[in-house]
Amino acid sequence: MGNFIELDILNLSHNGLQGYIPPSFGDLSSVESLDLSGNQLTGEIPQQLVCLTSLSFLNLSHNHFRGCMPQGPQSHSFDNNSYEGNDGLHGFPVSKSCGNDQALDTHFIISGLAD
């Protein structure tokens, strides 16, 4: 992906893509809009994506991402709906917590099942 250094908009939504987002997406230094929604992408969201300082629109919704949300210069710029439909994600800006708070979330889930 690094060969597309002048790419401004990349919309690959609803293309049946599978697998991981390659870290080379972080080489798209001039991309302003990235839409990978509605695919079958898995794994963690690469840290490199939230370091793309030109990125003003990001949609990773309705995939199968998991793990902690990466934090970087752009991580506070995107709404929760950019990540909706990825039930395995934790941390800001999604509603589930990450890190040391993960045990607390598990406690509430288990308690909710017992009721």
Side-chain angles (χ1 to χ4, degrees):
M1 291 302 297
N3 292 334
F4 298 109
I5 56 174
E6 295 299 320
L7 187 67
D8 293 328
I9 299 171
L10 181 59
N11 186 341
L12 296 173
S13 64
H14 304 284
N15 273 290
L17 300 176
Q18 298 178 349
Y20 299 89
I21 297 176
S24 61
F25 267 60
D27 296 336
L28 299 172
S29 59
S30 65
V31 72
E32 297 173 6
S33 175
L34 177 61
D35 190 343
L36 299 174
S37 64
N39 286 294
Q40 300 294 315
L41 297 171
T42 59
E44 295 184 356
I45 297 171
Q47 177 69 39
Q48 292 87 339
L49 285 188
V50 297
C51 294
L52 293 172
T53 55
S54 295
L55 194 61
S56 59
F57 175 82
L58 177 66
N59 190 348
L60 301 176
S61 65
H62 303 289
N63 281 285
H64 301 287
F65 294 116
R66 58 178 164 64
C68 292
M69 295 291 301
Q71 299 299 308
Q74 295 299 96
S75 58
H76 299 286
S77 302
F78 310 115
D79 295 331
N80 283 4
N81 61 357
S82 296
Y83 308 103
E84 70 184 14
N86 292 289
D87 293 334
L89 287 178
H90 304 282
F92 183 84
V94 295
S95 59
K96 298 175 184 173
S97 57
C98 206
N100 294 335
D101 296 334
Q102 197 168 13
L104 185 60
D105 282 347
T106 302
H107 170 74
F108 287 122
I109 291 169
I110 292 170
S111 295
L113 291 175
D115 293 338

